[in-house]
Amino acid sequence: MPDITDIVAVVPAHNERALLPSCLTALDAAVAGVRVSVQVIVVLDSGGDDSAGSGADALVGIITPDGFDGWPPGTATTFARGYDARPGHQHVH
């Protein structure tokens, strides 16, 4: 098994303004304890609480596929049946 030389920690966030600072503080403390390069990236979806002011690296809206060519049969049906884009959804983008 090759040695791990780099780590990227991705933090998905939706309306997390109150919790994001303590999350990033905890990650900073964890990063300080390892001897490899660590990059922490905060990615927000289209929340409404100004979480971007808490250290976000990227802000995205709702992400939807532009087609299902090349995916296994039934993928489009499963996606359409299970995806809910309304506010309060439980999906991580």
Side-chain angles (χ1 to χ4, degrees):
M1 174 182 237
D3 291 338
I4 296 172
T5 58
D6 298 286
I7 297 172
V8 177
V10 179
V11 180
H14 176 80
N15 292 337
E16 301 292 345
R17 179 139 178 89
L19 299 174
L20 199 52
S22 60
C23 173
L24 295 176
T25 298
L27 280 170
D28 285 344
V31 166
V34 298
R35 295 182 180 179
V36 297
S37 170
V38 179
Q39 181 180 9
V40 176
I41 299 174
V42 179
V43 179
L44 304 177
D45 67 4
S46 57
D49 74 344
D50 190 36
S51 293
S54 298
D57 298 295
L59 174 62
V60 298
I62 294 174
I63 299 170
T64 56
D66 59 3
F68 291 94
D69 292 342
W71 291 82
T75 301
T77 302
T78 301
F79 178 84
R81 184 175 47 240
Y83 186 77
D84 180 0
R86 293 175 294 177
H89 64 79
Q90 298 298 308
H91 303 284
V92 175
H93 299 114

